[in-house]
């Protein structure tokens, strides 16, 4: 519906209401009441409020960096003083490598890759849709491959539960490391993205994507120091590590992602206030006005996130994952198990817009299925991880999809449509590999 109407809010609300309508035995009144109750319930959750605030505060930070002239100074340095960026390829490669290097938190990764890459892409006339594709296709895949982050903490917890209940045996860290080796979609997505950038491969709707016509963003002022952009970005990277450590009480793997990114933005804005005003880059009045304008610009994005969270809750209540798993388990060939798990995880992730939620639903289902069929448990878990990231990439209600669009200044629907062909190629490669390894691991067992 979102791709057809191009109205993401209307589509999300329609899906929420229809799901609640089914859950309440086709009662319109009950569905209306439940809709209000659902939103009140979501807005009482601290992590959701912090995530929504993060989306709004991102707008303030980006607007302030633009107003300060730091972005213009950075573009001048990269394109004129050093000529490090002198083509569409080099502009996109900057964001690509940022996405690969910063693996600690997928939201921050997308944000920084977009913030750095957007002015360079505008200078080289690269469509924002392609930048959004690069940001989205590096952040979640690399976070699910290098699991020294919240992704790893969640997966370790889910695997540990399976060990504690006696379904599987062994060390949960070793099982996770073996499972990550089977994360075929993430590897495929990173390779496909790099090839698309290097060889300027535009397929499907990406062929029709147009560069930004915002002339203000193309103006380069070499007189302003790029430090007004670099320092806030450095602060965001530093603060997210610090707050993950603090919220995890000394263990970054146990830190709260939503709290960390929220506190990161607040702390960054506070330091920016002192720095910008202290160096007489702008007055307190200009700072406040710019911060407000930036927040106002991204308020609709926060609302899309809220609606995305709501439809995710409804999908979970409908027990979509359990239903699909029960259908798939009937007369399923052991050779195809990992491929089917990958597809199921993809569908659930696409429907709910959350890879983490998919992991929580599918690992307790996939592991017993693998044990019961006497096949490789690590391969089954790898299929869940891959499917979760794949479905998340294709979903218009995914938070990483929305944040990548936000950071790149690209419409969510345009981002989904232009990214989908690349994601489907990576997904097809992953599916083939899961089927091949399904035969191979069984023959070697």
């Amino acid at each position: 519906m979102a791709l057809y109407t191009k109205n993401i809010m209307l589509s999300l609300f329609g899906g929420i209401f229809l799901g609640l309508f089914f859950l309440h035995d086709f009662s319109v009144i009950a569905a209306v009441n439940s809709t209000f109750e659902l939103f009140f319930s979501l807005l009482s959750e601290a992590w959701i409020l912090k995530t929504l605030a993060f989306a709004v505060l991102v707008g303030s930070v980006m607007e302030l960096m633009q107003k300060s002239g730091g972005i213009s100074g950075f573009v001048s340095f990269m394109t004129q003083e050093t000529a490090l960026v002198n083509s569409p390829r080099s502009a996109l490669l900057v964001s690509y490598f940022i996405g690969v290097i910063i693996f600690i938190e997928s939201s921050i990764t997308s944000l920084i890759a977009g913030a750095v890459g957007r002015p360079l892409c505008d200078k080289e006339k690269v469509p924002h849709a392609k930048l959004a594709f690069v940001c989205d296709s590096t952040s979640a895949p690399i976070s699910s491959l290098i699991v020294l982050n919240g992704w790893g903490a969640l997966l370790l917890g889910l695997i540990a539960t399976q060990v504690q209940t006696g379904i599987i045996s062994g060390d949960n860290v070793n099982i996770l490391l073996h499972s990550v080796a089977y994360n075929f979609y993430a590897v495929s997505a990173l390779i496909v993205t790099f090839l698309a950038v290097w060889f300027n491969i535009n397929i499907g709707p990406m062929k029709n994507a147009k560069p930004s016509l915002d002339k203000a963003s193309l103006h380069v002022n070499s007189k302003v120091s790029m430090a007004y952009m670099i320092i806030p970005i450095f602060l965001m990277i530093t603060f997210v590590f610090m707050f993950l450590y603090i919220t995890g009480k000394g263990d970054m793997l146990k830190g709260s992602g939503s709290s960390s990114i929220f506190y990161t933005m607040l702390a960054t804005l506070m330091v920016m206030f002192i720095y910008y005003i202290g160096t007489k880059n702008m007055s307190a009045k200009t700072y406040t006005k710019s911060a407000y304008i930036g927040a106002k610009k991204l308020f609709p994005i926060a609302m899309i996130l809220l609606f995305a969270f709501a439809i995710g809750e409804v999908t979970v209540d409908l027990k979509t994952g359990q239903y699909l798993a029960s259908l798939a388990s009937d007369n399923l060939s052991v050779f195809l198990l990992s491929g089917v798990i990958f597809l199921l995880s993809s569908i659930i992730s696409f429907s709910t817009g959350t890879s983490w939620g998919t992991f929580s639903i599918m690992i307790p289902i996939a592991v017993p299925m693998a044990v019961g069929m006497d096949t490789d448990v690590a391969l089954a878990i790898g299929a869940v991880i891959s499917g979760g990231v794949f479905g998340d990439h294709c979903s218009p209600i995914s938070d990483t999809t929305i944040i990548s669009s936000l950071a790149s200044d690209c419409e969510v629907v345009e981002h989904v449509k232009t990214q989908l062909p690349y994601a489907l190629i990576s997904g097809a490669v992953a599916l083939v590999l899961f089927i091949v390894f399904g035969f191979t691991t069984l023959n070697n067992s």
Side-chain angles (χ1 to χ4, degrees):
M1 184 176 176
L3 298 179
Y4 177 74
T5 64
K6 297 184 179 179
N7 189 323
I8 189 78
M9 293 287 285
L10 177 63
S11 304
L12 288 171
F13 181 77
I16 293 164
F17 186 81
L18 188 61
L20 292 172
F21 182 64
F22 288 146
L23 284 170
H24 291 87
D25 300 322
F26 308 104
S27 170
V28 175
I29 295 175
V32 171
N33 289 334
S34 292
T35 301
F36 283 106
E37 290 174 1
L38 174 61
F39 280 100
F40 279 123
S41 173
L42 289 173
L43 291 172
S44 66
E45 294 282 346
W47 75 269
I48 289 180
L49 290 175
K50 288 174 182 175
T51 303
L52 298 178
F54 161 76
V56 173
L57 294 175
V58 164
S60 297
V61 170
M62 296 179 76
E63 182 70 19
L64 285 165
M65 288 194 297
Q66 177 75 36
K67 186 70 175 178
S68 70
I71 291 178
S72 182
F74 174 74
V75 173
S76 173
F77 177 80
M78 296 293 287
T79 61
Q80 296 176 7
E81 294 180 34
T82 63
L84 290 173
V85 173
N86 53 18
S87 66
R89 177 199 290 172
S90 55
L92 286 170
L93 282 176
V94 171
S95 290
Y96 179 88
F97 286 116
I98 288 174
V100 171
I101 292 168
I102 305 173
F103 56 84
I104 193 67
E105 214 290 323
S106 55
S107 297
I108 289 291
T109 301
S110 295
L111 170 62
I112 294 174
V116 173
R118 193 169 76 183
L120 299 176
C121 287
D122 285 345
K123 185 73 167 55
E124 298 299 332
K125 298 181 180 179
V126 176
H128 286 183
K130 195 154 190 180
L131 174 62
F133 156 61
V134 171
C135 294
D136 203 358
S137 298
T138 52
S139 59
I142 201 67
S143 294
S144 65
L145 280 172
I146 305 177
V147 288
L148 299 173
N149 48 35
W151 292 67
L154 173 68
L155 291 167
L156 279 174
L158 293 170
I159 294 170
T161 301
Q162 299 300 304
V163 173
Q164 290 167 5
T165 54
I167 296 174
I168 54 176
S169 59
D171 179 67
N172 54 338
V173 175
N174 287 332
I175 295 172
L176 175 60
L177 293 177
H178 280 93
S179 301
V180 168
Y182 292 118
N183 189 357
F184 297 134
Y185 177 77
V187 175
S188 178
L190 289 170
I191 293 173
V192 167
T193 304
F194 180 82
L195 292 176
V197 171
W198 189 263
F199 294 106
N200 190 30
I201 300 172
N202 297 311
I203 56 177
M206 192 68 83
K207 292 179 181 178
N208 302 319
K210 304 297 182 185
S212 172
L213 298 177
D214 183 4
K215 294 182 179 180
S217 65
L218 298 176
H219 176 67
V220 176
N221 182 1
S222 59
K223 294 181 180 179
V224 180
S225 171
M226 67 175 180
Y228 290 108
M229 172 184 167
I230 297 299
I231 288 177
I233 289 174
F234 174 76
L235 288 171
M236 284 189 282
I237 297 171
T238 304
F239 283 141
V240 76
F241 276 96
M242 184 181 80
F243 287 118
L244 281 170
Y245 182 83
I246 293 171
T247 56
K249 297 180 179 179
D251 186 351
M252 282 198 300
L253 292 178
K254 295 181 180 179
S256 168
S258 58
S259 294
S260 298
I261 58 176
F262 170 63
Y263 296 140
T264 291
M265 302 316 295
L266 280 182
T268 300
L269 283 167
M270 289 174 63
V271 177
M272 287 174 74
F273 179 83
I274 296 170
Y275 178 50
Y276 285 5
I277 293 173
T279 56
K280 298 182 179 179
N281 177 274
M282 63 178 68
S283 65
K285 182 179 179 180
T286 302
Y287 178 96
T288 305
K289 184 178 179 181
S290 299
Y292 172 76
I293 291 171
K296 187 178 178 181
K297 284 181 181 178
L298 293 193
F299 182 77
I301 296 293
M303 291 300 97
I304 291 174
L305 275 173
L306 176 61
F307 276 64
F309 291 141
I311 200 169
E313 290 285 328
V314 171
T315 307
V316 170
D317 289 342
L318 287 168
K319 300 188 184 300
T320 307
Q322 289 85 337
Y323 175 70
L324 291 172
S326 67
L327 291 178
S329 62
D330 296 334
N331 303 315
L332 176 63
S333 169
V334 65
F335 299 109
L336 301 176
L337 177 63
S338 59
V340 170
I341 289 173
F342 170 71
L343 290 175
L344 283 175
S345 300
S346 302
I347 294 169
I348 294 167
S349 184
F350 179 84
S351 304
T352 60
T354 166
S355 48
W356 285 26
T358 301
F359 301 158
S360 301
I361 292 169
M362 280 301 298
I363 285 180
I365 295 171
V367 171
M369 288 175 71
V371 172
M373 293 185 175
D374 193 26
T375 188
D376 192 343
V377 171
L379 182 62
I381 296 173
V384 172
I385 299 171
S386 280
V389 177
F390 174 45
D392 188 78
H393 267 177
C394 299
S395 178
I397 63 171
S398 159
D399 56 347
T400 50
T401 298
I402 295 167
I403 290 171
S404 295
S405 303
L406 173 162
S408 307
D409 192 24
C410 175
E411 292 290 334
V412 175
V413 173
E414 183 187 11
H415 169 44
V416 173
K417 288 173 67 176
T418 51
Q419 176 171 266
L420 191 58
Y422 301 95
L424 290 174
I425 291 171
S426 301
V429 171
L431 177 60
V432 170
L433 288 172
F434 279 118
I435 293 173
V436 170
F437 274 77
F439 279 93
T440 304
T441 55
L442 189 65
N443 291 334
N444 291 337
S445 62

